[in-house]
Amino acid sequence: MNVPLLDLKAQYQTIREEIRKVVDEICDSQYFILGPHVEAMEAKIAAYCQTPHAVGVSSGSDALIIALMAAGIGAGDAVITTPYTFFATAGAVARVGARPLFVDIDPVSYNLDPGALENTVAAMDNGTRAAVKAILPVHLYGQCADMDPILDMARRHNWVVIEDAAQAIGAEYKGRRAGSMGDFGCFSFFPSKNLGAFGDGGVVTTTSAEMDQRLRMLRMHGMEPKYYHRMIGGNFRLDALQAAVVALKLDYLDGWTSGRQANAAAYRRLFQEAGLVQQVQLPVEVQNRHIYNQFVIRVTHDRDALRAWLGEQGIGTEVYYPVPLHQQECFNYLGHGDGDFPLSEQAATQSLALPIYPELSEAQLAAVVERIGAFYKA
Ligand SMILES: *Cc1c(COP(=O)(O)O)cnc(C)c1O
């Protein structure tokens, strides 16, 4: 049985007519950049994320860059983050001229470990400690990082808190939504995210009216009023088409999230019934609203052989992420070596994402588990 990692066509079929109607409307209007569809999307996202403000931008990567710019982070500054994430998290820090300062993950949640954070800060020299201006936790795979100790540390040290919530729209931490806890929340509408556009797009949420204004200015080259530039921004604008698709899809998001959660529950039952819970460690729900952008299992050996075998059987999987950021060539200048962040390095060799999209059938889920069982029998 064929089980792709993700099947966006299945979702599109359910909303095809509605989407085509709004796309047609925008084509007729010939109004393509920012404007009423972007404003409407921003209001809906702000309400959904339980934040006062949301600003549509060109991608999730740009959401991170523009949040850092709005916070005034730049050359000479350091930003604490995790090495076990998509490249853009630390890439954005470097792009604004600041230095990423990595802290290892908690191996159960895969998110930045508050204990390791305490130790890292305690071991810093005064110069480094003074350079740290922000912390950028990631809510990886759809589950929030342990935010209370992170927010507490940030308050004590006067750091800006920027949540990388690209994989976590609608996820919750103690009843609070991803993107509503820090000063900024950064979201991506890349098509493979839980709320995907028909191209690139993103949004920044913020609790501050002042930052909302700065973000709006920065996304248009720092321009206010027209052709007067008070700061150097960039072109971080969002298309009306993308905003309209996202706004429309948002009405379905909770239903799709329930579908992902139901699939995760089905996997748990199927792995249990197959007697595979020794060989395969299942994801742990540490926080109470995990939105399962990914369902990531962990195997202690032969991960790559398992992945190759599943591929031969028509089952799509992915490794998020094979190389932690401190081991990326472009970050050689940070001076890290193998073993610096051992829990991230171990996760990189052991983790494997299985198909979890909401339209999967019970038979497909069963086939994935059955094929994994067959691999371990062989
Ligand atoms: C997808 C993603 C991004 C970047 O979003 P784009 O829209 O692809 O630029 C940033 N951080 C994380 C954790 C992501 O998963």
Side-chain angles (χ1 to χ4, degrees):
M1 182 180 292
N2 232 52
V3 192
L5 182 65
L6 181 62
D7 180 5
L8 290 170
K9 288 180 187 166
Q11 181 185 85
Y12 179 53
Q13 285 317 309
T14 66
I15 52 173
R16 189 170 183 274
E17 294 317 312
E18 278 181 279
I19 296 264
R20 291 173 71 100
K21 191 162 155 280
V22 70
V23 167
D24 237 7
E25 209 181 278
I26 292 168
C27 291
D28 286 336
S29 80
Q30 291 290 297
Y31 194 124
F32 293 122
I33 293 171
L34 299 177
H37 282 286
V38 171
E39 285 163 26
M41 180 279 290
E42 290 172 342
K44 272 179 97 163
I45 291 283
Y48 187 80
C49 295
Q50 300 168 358
T51 63
H53 310 281
V55 180
V57 294
S58 32
S59 71
S61 303
D62 286 345
L64 292 163
I65 290 174
I66 201 172
L68 289 159
M69 289 171 78
I73 310 288
D77 298 333
V79 177
I80 295 174
T81 192
T82 152
Y84 191 62
T85 173
F86 178 58
F87 175 76
T89 312
V93 173
R95 281 283 305 279
V96 300
R99 191 178 179 86
L101 215 156
F102 295 121
V103 169
D104 211 355
I105 55 166
D106 161 42
V108 174
S109 69
Y110 301 100
N111 285 321
L112 195 149
D113 177 15
L117 173 64
E118 283 278 0
N119 295 339
T120 304
V121 174
M124 276 177 189
D125 58 68
N126 287 337
T128 309
R129 192 173 300 140
V132 177
K133 294 289 158 50
I135 185 160
L136 211 177
V138 180
H139 305 314
L140 201 69
Y141 304 148
Q143 174 158 252
C144 286
D146 188 4
M147 289 302 287
D148 275 347
I150 291 172
L151 292 166
D152 186 56
M153 281 280 273
R155 245 186 316 268
R156 273 190 279 144
H157 294 277
N158 210 16
W159 299 332
V160 174
V161 179
I162 302 172
E163 297 171 62
D164 184 340
Q167 300 183 7
I169 190 158
E172 289 180 7
Y173 175 80
K174 300 185 181 175
R176 286 175 287 168
R177 287 254 151 134
S180 72
M181 295 172 273
D183 299 284
F184 301 90
C186 299
F187 295 86
S188 164
F189 302 139
F190 187 76
S192 70
K193 305 294 158 94
N194 285 24
L195 183 64
F198 284 9
D200 279 310
V203 71
V204 184
T205 53
T206 178
T207 48
S208 152
E210 185 197 339
M211 287 300 138
D212 176 70
Q213 285 312 307
R214 277 177 80 90
L215 290 164
R216 286 174 194 283
M217 226 183 279
L218 285 166
R219 83 175 160 184
M220 297 228 289
H221 289 292
M223 186 161 76
E224 181 62 41
K226 204 171 185 185
Y227 304 129
Y228 287 79
H229 299 265
R230 288 204 244 153
M231 49 183 115
I232 298 171
N235 174 0
F236 298 110
R237 298 179 303 236
L238 181 66
D239 290 346
L241 283 166
Q242 304 307 342
V245 167
V246 165
L248 196 157
K249 281 186 161 191
L250 187 55
D251 293 336
Y252 296 88
L253 183 61
D254 283 335
W256 292 332
T257 297
S258 302
R260 288 171 181 270
Q261 291 166 338
N263 289 345
Y267 270 138
R268 288 181 199 288
R269 176 173 46 75
L270 290 162
F271 275 109
Q272 189 78 41
E273 285 168 6
L276 284 168
V277 286
Q278 295 305 319
Q279 291 97 329
V280 175
Q281 282 171 255
L282 301 179
V284 178
E285 291 186 13
V286 181
Q287 306 306 335
N288 56 11
R289 193 172 195 246
H290 191 321
I291 60 143
Y292 288 102
N293 179 240
Q294 302 296 343
F295 186 89
V296 175
I297 61 168
R298 200 187 251 263
V299 295
T300 48
H301 45 258
D302 296 334
R303 189 265 321 267
D304 295 334
L306 172 63
R307 176 159 198 248
W309 150 266
L310 290 171
E312 286 160 22
Q313 314 290 306
I315 292 168
T317 61
E318 188 53 272
V319 173
Y320 300 109
Y321 295 91
V323 183
L325 300 187
H326 68 283
Q327 294 175 312
Q328 296 287 352
E329 191 181 336
C330 67
F331 286 133
N332 279 349
Y333 71 92
L334 295 173
H336 290 299
D338 296 349
D340 280 9
F341 303 99
L343 297 171
S344 294
E345 292 168 30
Q346 189 181 59
T349 62
Q350 297 184 340
S351 64
L352 188 66
L354 304 181
I356 189 70
Y357 63 90
E359 295 81 10
L360 283 167
S361 67
E362 172 84 20
Q364 286 177 306
L365 294 165
V368 173
V369 175
E370 192 277 327
R371 291 289 86 193
I372 291 172
F375 173 82
Y376 282 109
K377 273 196 209 84

